[in-house]
Amino acid sequence: DAKTTQPNSMESNEEEPVHLPCNHSTISGTDYIHWYRQLPSQGPEYVIHGLTSNVNNRMASLAIAEDRKSSTLILHRATLRDAAVYYCILKSYVAGGTSYGKLTFGQGTILTVHP
Amino acid sequence: GAVVSQHPSRVICKSGTSVKIECRSLDFQATTMFWYRQFPKQSLMLMATSNEGSKATYEQGVEKDKFLINHASLTLSTLTVTSAHPEDSSFYICSASVGSRSYNEQFFGPGTRLTVL
């Protein structure tokens, strides 16, 4: 599976926008970019995913570079509840292969939100 | 989003005993379920993938005879840690997907914290 690179940690103030970067220079044409987050002592939570075009949902926006080698998760107004580890994951689909739909978690970015 | 539950949320057991963890998709049918393990301050590590009615596929280095996975229905998968030892103490998390294509999101359970004394 193609790897992703994220900063270990980032900080933000409440009510301010947060841009969480992710590099995936070896992404393949069929890889989807998924973002999940994990609050302390909880299972991960789906945030957003995309393939080529920018995506918006009620939680966040995903901006994907034109060459798809990087992406940015945007939280428009950070709240204290957004403090979590954010994982950028490339999800491969290999027909009949053993990597079918698997998510490979890296270390993620620890987001701290200050009041 | 869809809801996945796990039971129990926390379990403490003695070394040598077996522990069963249940993972249920509450409002959807999950064609595929995944089991992860997470040690303190570390990321999630995929242990195995299971499809309803078929044998689980284990990741390299995961002992299939120690971590028994049963996926008997489209809403239930179980993980049994057999003859648990202190090094098996960890946070076990399951997830479920309605499909296995690359765009299908996975819904995660809240996790089960296992402590082996």
Side-chain angles (χ1 to χ4, degrees), chain A residues 9-54:
Chain A
S9 63
M10 290 187 67
E11 296 186 18
S12 172
N13 294 317
E14 208 174 2
E15 308 269 315
E16 291 184 355
V18 181
H19 291 234
L20 297 166
C22 180
N23 288 319
H24 28 79
S25 58
T26 59
I27 190 170
S28 73
T30 55
D31 285 341
Y32 279 76
I33 303 161
H34 284 244
W35 283 81
Y36 285 79
R37 71 180 186 181
Q38 185 178 25
L39 279 66
S41 298
Q42 295 187 30
E45 173 188 30
Y46 167 80
V47 178
I48 201 167
H49 76 271
L51 182 62
T52 56
S53 304
N54 294 343

Side-chain angles (χ1 to χ4, degrees), chain A residues 30 32 34 36 38 41-44 46 49 87 91-93 100-103 105-107, chain B residues 34 36 38 41 43-44 46 49 59 91 93 100-106 108-110 113:
Chain A
T30 55
Y32 279 76
H34 284 244
Y36 285 79
Q38 185 178 25
S41 298
Q42 295 187 30
Y46 167 80
H49 76 271
Y87 297 99
K91 193 174 178 190
S92 303
Y93 171 57
Y100 219 33
K102 289 172 13 175
L103 292 175
F105 285 81
Q107 292 306 307
Chain B
F34 304 85
Y36 297 81
Q38 185 175 33
K41 306 286 186 187
S43 188
L44 282 78
L46 180 65
T49 303
E59 294 298 300
F91 194 46
I93 306 167
S100 51
R101 293 187 177 271
S102 53
Y103 47 80
N104 292 128
E105 62 186 276
Q106 286 184 22
F108 285 82
R113 189 161 303 282

Side-chain angles (χ1 to χ4, degrees), chain B residues 20-113:
Chain B
K20 180 185 283 188
I21 302 169
E22 290 187 351
C23 175
R24 294 182 185 270
S25 56
L26 297 185
D27 50 2
F28 67 101
Q29 293 187 323
T31 53
T32 307
M33 286 186 168
F34 304 85
W35 286 95
Y36 297 81
R37 180 165 57 177
Q38 185 175 33
F39 293 107
K41 306 286 186 187
Q42 295 187 24
S43 188
L44 282 78
M45 184 190 78
L46 180 65
M47 299 175 68
T49 303
S50 74
N51 292 294
E52 184 263 342
S54 60
K55 287 185 179 179
T57 302
Y58 290 81
E59 294 298 300
Q60 196 170 13
V62 178
E63 300 174 58
K64 61 180 180 181
D65 294 329
K66 180 168 185 62
F67 299 100
L68 302 178
I69 292 171
N70 183 277
H71 193 164
S73 76
L74 286 172
T75 59
L76 173 64
S77 176
T78 61
L79 167 69
T80 301
V81 183
T82 62
S83 187
H85 291 285
E87 58 265 29
D88 299 321
S89 298
S90 187
F91 194 46
Y92 291 87
I93 306 167
C94 73
S95 72
S97 175
V98 295
S100 51
R101 293 187 177 271
S102 53
Y103 47 80
N104 292 128
E105 62 186 276
Q106 286 184 22
F107 301 98
F108 285 82
T112 296
R113 189 161 303 282

